[in-house]
């Protein structure tokens, strides 16, 4: 059974960097049959895909156009986890952030518990 | 504004059948499969339909999915109080190169 456990601060100051980690159990971040995603949710914008990383003989990264200049998703094979960094945050980045997996079904089949991140001074 | 279009609300009485629609375009629903998620308050979305009409293990067969062209539907038959939740559709968008979602439909069991 795959489980994704998120960690990271719930409060970030404007202009600083939002950092979250998603620890994986029951699968491997290096699996060549999975991809690892970050998604956020707000009442006004709904569910918004942010980006993904996956390994197919080498690491690949895809990011949403809306955050492409500010986002980094990094796999950590030693800890079997992956992280999200979002730079230069503003109050508009206040959201519930989720990590998720796409497996052999081709769907977002396992999700982390979600982390409410508030951007405020 | 979400890329995929869903009605904001739907309702039914216990035992009834309800259907939730999801409209997209040729770059998402028209070219790739559709997933559906159920979200209860304060929890993460839960996958209930993938590949247009497949149910993950543990999802009751009262839930079914279908797709035609650039639209998809989630049907719930034999409605139960536990089905009251928000439902979202999603698909990979080949033009945007990312997942796109519907705005969500709040299902109320009267």
């Amino acid at each position: 059974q795959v489980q994704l456990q998120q960690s990271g601060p719930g409060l970030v100051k404007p202009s600083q960097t939002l950092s979250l980690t998603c620890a994986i159990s029951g699968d491997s971040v290096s699996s060549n049959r999975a991809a690892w995603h970050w998604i956020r949710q707000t009442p006004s914008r709904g569910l918004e895909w942010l980006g993904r990383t996956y390994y197919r003989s080498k690491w690949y990264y895809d990011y949403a156009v809306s955050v492409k200049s500010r986002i980094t998703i990094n796999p950590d094979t030693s800890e079997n986890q992956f992280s999200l960094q979002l730079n230069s945050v503003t109050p508009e980045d206040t959201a519930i952030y989720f990590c998720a997996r796409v497996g052999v079904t081709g769907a977002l089949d396992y999700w982390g518990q979600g982390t409410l991140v508030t951007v405020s001074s | 504004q979400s890329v995929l279009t869903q009605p904001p609300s739907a309702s039914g009485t216990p035992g009834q059948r309800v259907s939730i629609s999801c409209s997209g375009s040729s770059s998402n629903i028209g070219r790739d499969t559709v997933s559906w998620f159920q979200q209860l308050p304060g929890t993460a979305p839960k996958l209930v339909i993938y590949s247009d009409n497949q149910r993950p293990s543990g999802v009751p067969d009262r839930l079914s999915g279908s797709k035609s062209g650039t639209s998809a539907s989630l049907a719930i038959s034999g409605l139960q109080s536990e089905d009251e939740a928000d439902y979202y559709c999603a698909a990979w968008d080949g033009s945007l190169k990312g997942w796109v979602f519907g705005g969500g439909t709040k299902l109320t069991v009267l």
Side-chain angles (χ1 to χ4, degrees), chain A residues 2-7 20-25 27-29 33-40 47-54 62 73 81-84 96-115, chain B residues 35 37 44-47 90 92 99 101:
Chain A
V2 176
Q3 291 188 335
L4 303 178
Q5 181 67 38
Q6 298 177 219
S7 60
L20 296 174
T21 299
C22 183
I24 304 163
S25 57
D27 200 348
S28 169
V29 71
R33 295 183 298 176
W36 307 96
H37 299 247
W38 286 98
I39 293 154
R40 66 184 179 184
L47 289 162
E48 179 184 10
W49 179 80
L50 298 176
R52 67 175 178 177
T53 185
Y54 59 98
D62 293 302
I73 295 177
Q81 61 189 25
F82 63 108
S83 64
L84 167 71
I96 300 173
Y97 286 77
F98 296 98
C99 58
R101 184 193 85 159
V102 167
V104 293
T105 62
L108 292 153
D109 53 6
Y110 289 96
W111 293 62
Q113 78 276 24
T115 302
Chain B
S35 306
F37 301 89
K46 172 191 171 187
L47 180 69
W92 181 264
W99 284 91
F101 296 89

Side-chain angles (χ1 to χ4, degrees), chain B residues 1 10 19 28 37 46 68 94:
Chain B
Q1 297 83 344
S19 183
N28 41 67
F37 301 89
K46 172 191 171 187
S68 179

Side-chain angles (χ1 to χ4, degrees), chain A residues 51-64:
Chain A
R52 67 175 178 177
T53 185
Y54 59 98
Y55 185 77
R56 302 290 186 269
S57 301
K58 70 172 187 176
W59 289 102
Y60 292 86
Y61 308 89
D62 293 302
Y63 300 126

